[in-house]
Each structure stands twice: as C-alpha cells, then as structure tokens.
Amino acid sequence: MKEHNLPKHIIAHSKSVCKVALDIANKLEKKGIKVDKDLVVAGALLHDVKRLDKDHVKSGFKLLESLGLKEVARVVKTHGLKHFEEEDFTPKTTEEKIVFYADKRVINDKIVSLEERFKYLKEKYGTEDKLYHYTKEIETELIG
C-alpha cells in the first residue's frame, strides 16, 4: 500500500475493512463453511490499492493481476459498485462476497451499519437503492 503512495486514511479504511471481513470469515468457519482467510485478508487490505486512480477497481485489478496475484485481483475487481451491472464485476465466491460486503460496512475507518454506509454513499455519490438491496442480500447470505 505504501509502495503505491496510499494516504494513511485509505490504509486505515482498508485495515477496518479487513477487520470486518475477518470477523465474517471466522463466523462462517464456525458454521462449517470453508473460507480462504488469507485471500480474504489480502483482498480486504488491497481492495483500494489504486484508490487514487479514476477507476480504482479496474486499475487495482490490473496491477494485482500483473503481479501474478490473480485470486486477489479477482476479489479487488468485484469489491466495487461502479461496474455493478457488468457480469464480470459481481462477487461470486464467498471470499469475494465477504470483501464486497465488508467494504460496505466501513466509512473512512469507522465500522458502521449497512444503512449508515449507504446513506453516506447516496449523499456523496448518488448511489442507487438497488445497490443497497443487492448488498443486503449478500449480508443475509453471509451472516443471516
């Protein structure tokens, strides 16, 4: 993250996303669901590695793929909302869904409710309600 000149506040955000993601992964494992926690941690910490770029989802994916980190790149590719309508950008695996969801539970470095995060996203970016409903479905799938 430091190698790509990420500001401290983005690093702090990524660490909080990682905390949420690991908590979910641990809960799923207790239910007997297999989760690649190393992939979850890497994806959560690196999901915003190119956050300063105009399209940080695509550029983060390309960077990580170029480094041979294909699975982590896929998690990064599916964490955002910008390309939500594009099939290849929607989370499919458990690990992808965990990081996608965990990112939607953190404002800056503060862990918040899904409702609070989407209120923030709507005010700041005009995020559509259907994205909240989609994320709520993932929340139900992951944590009930």
Side-chain angles (χ1 to χ4, degrees):
M1 290 186 273
K2 287 180 182 175
E3 193 175 302
H4 290 275
N5 300 315
L6 281 181
K8 288 179 183 178
H9 72 279
I10 294 174
I11 293 171
H13 166 78
S14 297
K15 287 179 179 179
S16 292
V17 169
C18 187
K19 182 179 182 324
V20 173
L22 260 181
D23 184 50
I24 294 167
N26 288 330
K27 287 177 181 172
L28 289 173
E29 280 191 335
K30 284 180 184 172
K31 292 180 180 180
I33 299 168
K34 188 173 176 358
V35 178
D36 183 341
K37 287 200 283 191
D38 290 337
L39 179 57
V40 167
V41 168
L45 289 176
L46 295 173
H47 78 280
D48 279 347
V49 69
K50 297 297 274 180
R51 187 70 178 113
L52 301 178
D53 289 6
K54 184 176 180 180
D55 189 340
H56 79 282
V57 171
K58 285 185 177 180
S59 59
F61 167 75
K62 288 176 185 173
L63 168 69
L64 295 169
E65 195 173 54
S66 75
L67 296 172
L69 302 170
K70 293 188 186 308
E71 288 182 21
V72 180
R74 174 75 191 157
V75 171
V76 169
K77 185 177 187 178
T78 60
H79 90 273
L81 295 172
K82 183 176 183 177
H83 302 286
F84 172 77
E85 303 276 322
E86 299 172 45
E87 175 65 25
D88 200 37
F89 286 83
T90 57
K92 292 173 183 58
T93 68
T94 300
E95 292 80 7
E96 291 168 7
K97 290 176 182 180
I98 290 170
V99 173
F100 172 89
Y101 174 75
D103 183 43
K104 307 313 171 282
R105 290 289 311 277
V106 178
I107 297 174
N108 299 318
D109 64 347
K110 183 181 172 199
I111 299 169
V112 298
S113 69
L114 196 60
E115 292 72 20
E116 190 175 342
R117 174 73 157 138
F118 270 87
K119 181 179 181 225
Y120 168 84
L121 291 170
K122 191 170 193 164
E123 290 170 1
K124 188 163 182 167
Y125 303 108
T127 300
E128 299 175 40
D129 289 340
K130 68 181 175 182
L131 296 173
Y132 167 78
H133 296 296
Y134 174 77
T135 307
K136 194 73 176 166
E137 287 175 19
I138 289 180
E139 177 181 64
T140 300
E141 180 183 336
L142 292 173
I143 57 180

